[in-house]
Amino acid sequence: MDRVALRGLKARGHHGVFPREREEGQTFLVDLVLGLDTRPAAASDDLAKTVHYGIVAEEVVAVVEGEPVDLIETLAERIADQCLKHEGVQEVEVVVHKPDAPITVPFDDVTITITRSRV
């Protein structure tokens, strides 16, 4: 399986369990690795035979900016579901970064990584 990666998609969302997170929102970053067979697209040089990663990026940002959820686990699952709606995508790895998580000690980032497939 071939891989198409998108790194550092940035969007503002209102996800979290605390009222401040829901009211003020915060920046989330998303990394994706889409698993698909790119041979048909390469052989024909036809965008219709692969995944349009620009559209995927827009859809993922819309998920992050959309309906709030409590957990980044839920957000990652919604992102994976959206990616798998694309016919050629057989598998997706989603990493959701929450660099401004409400943690009381110094830290760089909080992430959740999930892998989902059609199988």
Side-chain angles (χ1 to χ4, degrees), residues 36-87:
L36 64 152
D37 183 358
T38 62
R39 288 175 292 193
S44 63
D45 200 30
D46 184 356
L47 177 62
K49 294 185 179 180
T50 188
V51 64
H52 190 310
Y53 51 78
I55 291 173
V56 171
E58 291 171 0
E59 292 171 350
V60 168
V61 166
V63 171
V64 175
E65 292 175 344
E67 180 185 351
V69 296
D70 288 343
L71 304 176
I72 60 173
E73 291 86 344
T74 306
L75 182 60
E77 192 73 32
R78 288 183 178 182
I79 291 168
D81 289 346
Q82 182 61 47
C83 292
L84 289 171
K85 289 181 181 178
H86 291 268
E87 185 177 333

